[in-house]
Amino acid sequence: MTLRASAAAAVLAATAFLGLAPQAAAAPVPQPQAATAENRAAAAGAATAPDTLATLSRFFAREGRVSLAAAQPRIEGEAIPVHHLSPDFVAGRADASVARLEFLASQAVSSDGQRAALWTARTETGWQVVNIATGDDEFRYARLGAAKLPGGTVFREPQIDAWYVAGGGRVLPLDEDAVRAVGAGGTTLGAYRVRVAAAYGDKLPGSPYAERGAAGGFAEAEAEAGADAVPAAAAGVEVSWAAGAGVLALGALGAAAVRRLRRAGARA
């Protein structure tokens, strides 16, 4: 299981390393409620743009595993919606869904088999790739969720890096962090809301906690992070309740690398 560190300094360093000039921050805007065919097409267009593929070549070549010329990145499959725990659900607002759309993800693969997720979100200037994240979490958990609960909504609780699938009044775990949170058999939607309201209810937008600029709900993640991890509070790890895609709260830099740092003792 992994944590994603999106510290502004790390993002800027990665951007410089990949040869990207920091762009003016694209203002976060509310993301669409559903991944329509039009939205998927726009995300796919951003993911397959020549500039994006050139950036991917540098990304995959950054540790010398493959040469820049040989990386030959390609996009596999369609863009998929990625949902996160909704602050409206935590706040107990009537008819609020358990999760909201945060961004669309496209899977990038290099010639030597490396994989990465392109996070694509709607900004004031249109759909853009706003981050590159190593690995294939988004796609793997989408498959697991569809198999475990067909038709359910797969979502992430970023505060503890847990993945679930929800449907039919149930919330079922898809990884070890989620099992620790709700048990192997899952829980009811109502019981899950009670848990997240207790954990994050005082960290919602407008709260004193949020106004201090703290990263919502990362105390547990910080305590468990390994020696190579960036401390959550210091790093500003993925501010959970920012408007629109969480990564946009840090300022879109075109395509900045996101490190997924392993927890101490986590499985490889």
Side-chain angles (χ1 to χ4, degrees), residues 75-135:
I75 304 301
E76 285 191 350
E78 296 183 347
I80 66 168
V82 178
H83 296 82
H84 283 184
L85 174 63
S86 168
D88 288 343
F89 178 81
V90 173
R93 295 181 182 174
D95 301 323
S97 298
V98 66
R100 70 178 184 186
L101 183 66
E102 285 292 304
F103 54 87
L104 298 183
S106 295
Q107 184 161 216
V109 185
S110 71
S111 61
D112 66 335
Q114 294 181 72
R115 293 182 179 271
L118 297 176
W119 295 2
T120 310
R122 186 171 64 186
T123 73
E124 283 188 336
T125 57
W127 284 86
Q128 295 183 4
V129 175
V130 295
N131 264 299
I132 303 174
T134 57

Side-chain angles (χ1 to χ4, degrees), residues 13-268:
T15 301
F17 184 80
L18 294 175
L20 295 170
Q23 302 172 3
V29 300
Q31 297 304 293
Q33 294 185 355
T36 64
E38 180 181 3
N39 293 334
R40 289 174 187 265
T48 56
D51 287 350
T52 301
L53 296 177
T55 298
L56 278 169
S57 292
R58 295 192 292 272
F59 179 81
F60 287 130
R62 72 196 183 283
E63 295 178 349
R65 292 177 56 182
V66 65
S67 71
L68 184 64
Q72 299 180 337
R74 65 186 186 275
I75 304 301
E76 285 191 350
E78 296 183 347
I80 66 168
V82 178
H83 296 82
H84 283 184
L85 174 63
S86 168
D88 288 343
F89 178 81
V90 173
R93 295 181 182 174
D95 301 323
S97 298
V98 66
R100 70 178 184 186
L101 183 66
E102 285 292 304
F103 54 87
L104 298 183
S106 295
Q107 184 161 216
V109 185
S110 71
S111 61
D112 66 335
Q114 294 181 72
R115 293 182 179 271
L118 297 176
W119 295 2
T120 310
R122 186 171 64 186
T123 73
E124 283 188 336
T125 57
W127 284 86
Q128 295 183 4
V129 175
V130 295
N131 264 299
I132 303 174
T134 57
D136 64 348
D137 285 6
E138 293 81 3
F139 315 99
R140 182 159 46 92
Y141 289 118
R143 292 192 297 270
L144 289 173
K148 192 167 191 175
L149 187 59
T153 298
V154 174
F155 72 98
R156 180 174 176 244
E157 185 182 330
Q159 294 83 357
I160 60 170
D161 194 33
W163 288 86
Y164 309 86
V165 60
R170 299 285 298 175
V171 176
L172 306 180
L174 296 178
D175 67 3
E176 293 176 357
D177 295 291
V179 169
R180 283 192 288 269
V182 300
T187 188
T188 65
L189 192 63
Y192 180 71
R193 200 200 76 77
V194 169
R195 189 188 75 79
V196 296
Y200 316 124
D202 61 345
K203 301 172 179 66
L204 292 169
S207 68
Y209 188 83
E211 290 173 356
R212 292 199 305 270
F218 274 92
E220 177 181 344
E222 181 178 353
E224 295 183 4
D228 61 345
V230 179
V237 178
E238 200 160 339
V239 178
S240 307
W241 309 125
V247 68
L248 293 177
L250 300 175
L253 297 176
V258 172
R259 294 185 298 155
R260 292 181 177 175
L261 300 177
R262 295 190 180 278
R263 290 185 181 173
R267 69 178 186 276

